[in-house]
Amino acid sequence: MVEARPEGQSNPPSRGSIPKSVANLPQQVREELGRRLRRNRGAFREEDVQVVELPLLKRAVGASALGNCMEWFDFGVYSYLAATIGKVFFPGASPAAQVVSSFATFAAAFVVRPLGGLVFGPLGDRIGRQKVLATTMIMMAAGTFAIGLIPSYDTIGIAAPVLLLLARMVQGFSTGGEYGGATTFVAEYSPDRRRGFLSSWLDFGTFTGYALGSALVTVLNLLLSDAEMVSWGWRLPFLIAGPLGVIGLYMRLKLEESPAFQQQLDEHEKNLAQESAGGELRTIVKDHWRPLLICMGLVLLYNVTNYMVTGFLPTYQTETLHRSSGSADVLVLIGMVWIVLLITFIGRFSDRVGRRPVYAVAAAAMIVLAVPSFLLIKADGTWAPILGVLILSTLLACFAAPSAATLPALFPTAVRYAAMGIGFNFAVAAFGGTTPLVTEALVSVTGNDLVPAYYLMLAGVIGLVTVKFLPETAQVPLNGSQPMVGSREEQRELISTSTDLYRVERRHTGVR
């Protein structure tokens, strides 16, 4: 293991002179704890280490994951029904134009996502994460439920696509405060050593929601004729959002605020938290521009892949490869189930090896494997397309699993929700949500059905560049928060380790 070089020391201390408790610390953890101990001028005491009670931790992670599952079931259903929705709301257009119009309405929700982030982010830093997350839950459910009630174009004419657009914008506005808030909430509840594993349950909920939406649409396509789907079948998944929203709202209202938010802030953070929303946003852009750009680069990598697989791939198979909607939906469903099976294991793995290696290896693999994956998806037969989807799904799981732990760790507690709202939503609006629209349009214009693979390769290159500047945060306390542990035993262990580390720091910097 490469040891951190203490301040004022030209050569690292020999390993034999370091207590085992200190030598076993990952380099990034030792460096951060050392900075805190030097600032405190002493080892940690009990009040310096936050213990998260196990029942509260389980409730926070479980409710957040389940609420996210419901939210992204609502949002994801639209992707699986894009071709059908095009026929219902844009019947006069050609089949290709119907799909592009449907994806344009899909992308419109992402236009207002940054606005939702700008509103809900600062609000979450002031009144708390839990209240804002309850609000976004009910707004998403209401927007999705409304889509299921909108009459078709044949019934009310141009008002139908207009109402669809408005409902999608409500969805987008609420989602602008959802992912940033949910990741912030779970990350602030998680013990430092297990943040990758516990935070990965949030995206476990996301892809479970996607999978449930895909499964429901698949069943409907198998049971109903095309005419029945266009007439009324497409409405059923949207109408389910009503009762799901009530359940999700109840669960989120039962949660307690995160420990990091409840901790007493120092005077600087108090003043920052009392700033106006505009003042807070200016502070984020001025003082945190570097982590903001890193956040946007990682979000681009994750969400271009995400919406390529979940939003574009079903329609790509039906409209470009001319496969049945049933087989297309089953193929994507297999990929979603595979991600659900993988994601928490990758999250746990990122706690052991670090976030940077997971991102870097997966981004490099994306550059190499994007074209072969799409060639497999295009191939005839059953197993080649399944293999192609599984490759892309595995890479997507590698981007998704560490994200909920990595992105909130880039920012201090006082501005974390707002900064996530800016970085995440602007990147998703510009690159993620537009992925189905842009790739479908490029395939239509160029006639090259490998354009989606080239798009993924570009995202992989951007991801690799971003990882170069990403600080390693695995097992490191969140910026602006106390060290977090999962038990009193871990608290005593950390206090003992901090005593050893403080002695090492003093000895090798010449302090007596």
Side-chain angles (χ1 to χ4, degrees):
M1 179 181 295
V2 178
E3 295 296 339
R5 180 172 297 179
E7 293 181 0
Q9 180 80 11
S10 59
N11 295 306
S14 64
R15 190 174 182 84
S17 66
I18 301 176
K20 184 177 180 181
S21 61
V22 176
N24 288 337
L25 290 175
Q27 180 176 344
Q28 71 274 9
V29 178
R30 179 177 169 178
E31 290 175 348
E32 175 60 25
L33 293 184
R35 282 192 291 268
R36 294 183 180 221
L37 295 176
R38 290 192 296 273
R39 188 171 63 240
N40 293 343
R41 298 183 179 180
F44 292 141
R45 297 164 296 178
E46 284 193 5
E47 58 266 29
D48 296 323
V49 181
Q50 177 78 40
V51 179
V52 185
E53 296 180 11
L54 186 59
L56 288 178
L57 177 61
K58 288 182 176 179
R59 188 189 312 164
V61 174
S64 297
L66 189 54
N68 214 44
C69 173
M70 295 174 181
E71 181 116 2
W72 289 94
F73 169 88
D74 296 348
F75 204 77
V77 157
Y78 190 100
S79 303
Y80 306 126
L81 291 170
T84 302
I85 289 172
K87 297 174 184 177
V88 174
F89 290 96
F90 309 99
S94 66
Q98 286 178 350
V99 175
V100 171
S101 298
S102 180
F103 277 139
T105 308
F106 178 82
F110 291 85
V111 174
V112 298
R113 278 186 70 157
L115 180 60
L118 292 174
V119 171
F120 288 123
L123 198 60
D125 285 330
R126 284 165 176 73
I127 68 173
R129 289 69 162 114
Q130 181 262 354
K131 296 182 180 65
V132 173
L133 287 173
T135 303
T136 60
M137 180 78 253
I138 199 63
M139 285 186 65
M140 170 60 79
T144 308
F145 187 74
I147 292 177
L149 299 177
I150 299 173
S152 67
Y153 185 94
D154 292 337
T155 303
I156 60 173
I158 192 64
V162 171
L163 290 174
L164 175 65
L165 180 63
L166 290 175
R168 286 289 299 161
M169 292 177 75
V170 171
Q171 285 185 316
F173 187 79
S174 68
T175 307
E178 169 61 25
Y179 189 81
T183 55
T184 294
F185 188 78
V186 174
E188 290 179 346
Y189 248 109
S190 301
D192 299 330
R193 293 180 181 177
R194 304 174 64 207
R195 186 170 293 115
F197 170 67
L198 293 170
S199 296
S200 68
W201 284 97
L202 187 66
D203 284 286
F204 174 93
T206 295
F207 289 101
T208 299
Y210 274 129
L212 291 175
S214 176
L216 179 56
V217 172
T218 300
V219 170
L220 290 174
N221 281 324
L222 292 174
L223 295 179
L224 303 177
S225 66
D226 289 343
E228 289 173 325
M229 280 296 294
V230 172
S231 176
W232 56 270
W234 68 272
R235 298 182 183 275
L236 297 180
F238 293 101
L239 296 177
I240 292 175
L244 285 181
V246 174
I247 296 172
L249 178 64
Y250 172 78
M251 294 188 64
R252 288 192 168 178
L253 288 175
K254 299 292 286 184
L255 292 174
E256 295 185 18
E257 193 51 78
S258 72
F261 185 80
Q262 293 182 49
Q263 288 173 10
Q264 183 69 33
L265 303 176
D266 63 31
E267 290 302 319
H268 171 71
E269 289 180 320
K270 283 182 182 179
N271 294 333
L272 190 57
Q274 291 167 2
E275 282 184 332
S276 65
E280 181 179 0
L281 297 176
R282 285 191 296 272
T283 298
I284 292 170
V285 174
K286 177 183 176 182
D287 297 341
H288 304 285
W289 62 269
R290 186 182 295 273
L292 204 59
L293 290 177
I294 294 172
C295 175
M296 294 178 71
L298 294 179
V299 171
L300 181 152
L301 176 66
Y302 170 17
N303 279 274
V304 165
T305 312
N306 182 14
Y307 288 105
M308 186 70 75
V309 175
T310 61
F312 176 73
L313 208 52
T315 304
Y316 175 76
Q317 294 182 78
T318 57
E319 303 303 315
T320 302
L321 304 182
H322 306 294
R323 291 173 178 160
S324 69
S325 57
S327 64
D329 291 338
V330 168
L331 195 59
V332 174
L333 177 58
I334 291 172
M336 294 300 99
V337 172
W338 180 242
I339 293 172
V340 169
L341 293 175
L342 279 181
I343 196 164
T344 57
F345 292 99
I346 299 174
R348 187 191 297 273
F349 186 64
S350 77
D351 281 330
R352 294 176 61 87
V353 304
R355 322 291 188 220
R356 297 180 78 245
V358 174
Y359 278 120
V361 171
M366 176 68 79
I367 298 171
V368 175
L369 298 176
V371 170
S373 296
F374 267 86
L375 290 174
L376 288 169
I377 292 170
K378 289 173 54 183
D380 295 330
T382 300
W383 294 108
I386 289 177
L387 179 59
V389 169
L390 289 180
I391 291 173
L392 292 181
S393 298
T394 301
L395 296 175
L396 176 53
C398 290
F399 301 142
S403 288
T406 304
L407 302 179
L410 294 170
F411 307 102
T413 301
V415 299
R416 184 170 293 127
Y417 200 148
M420 282 288 295
I422 296 172
F424 187 87
N425 289 299
F426 274 90
V428 172
F431 306 106
T434 59
T435 293
L437 172 63
V438 172
T439 48
E440 177 66 28
L442 288 174
V443 169
S444 298
V445 170
T446 64
N448 187 344
D449 52 17
L450 285 179
V451 165
Y454 304 144
Y455 204 77
L456 287 176
M457 291 173 67
L458 178 60
V461 171
I462 295 173
L464 268 183
V465 173
T466 302
V467 171
K468 178 178 175 60
F469 300 96
L470 174 67
E472 183 56 74
T473 58
Q475 303 187 39
V476 176
L478 290 175
N479 189 353
S481 301
Q482 293 178 331
M484 300 274 288
V485 296
S487 67
R488 294 292 175 185
E489 181 180 353
E490 286 185 21
Q491 183 189 46
R492 290 190 293 270
E493 179 185 339
L494 181 57
I495 291 172
S496 175
T497 300
S498 74
T499 301
D500 293 338
L501 177 58
Y502 187 61
R503 288 172 181 165
V504 171
E505 292 285 323
R506 295 182 65 190
R507 183 168 71 246
H508 290 285
T509 55
V511 177
R512 301 296 180 188

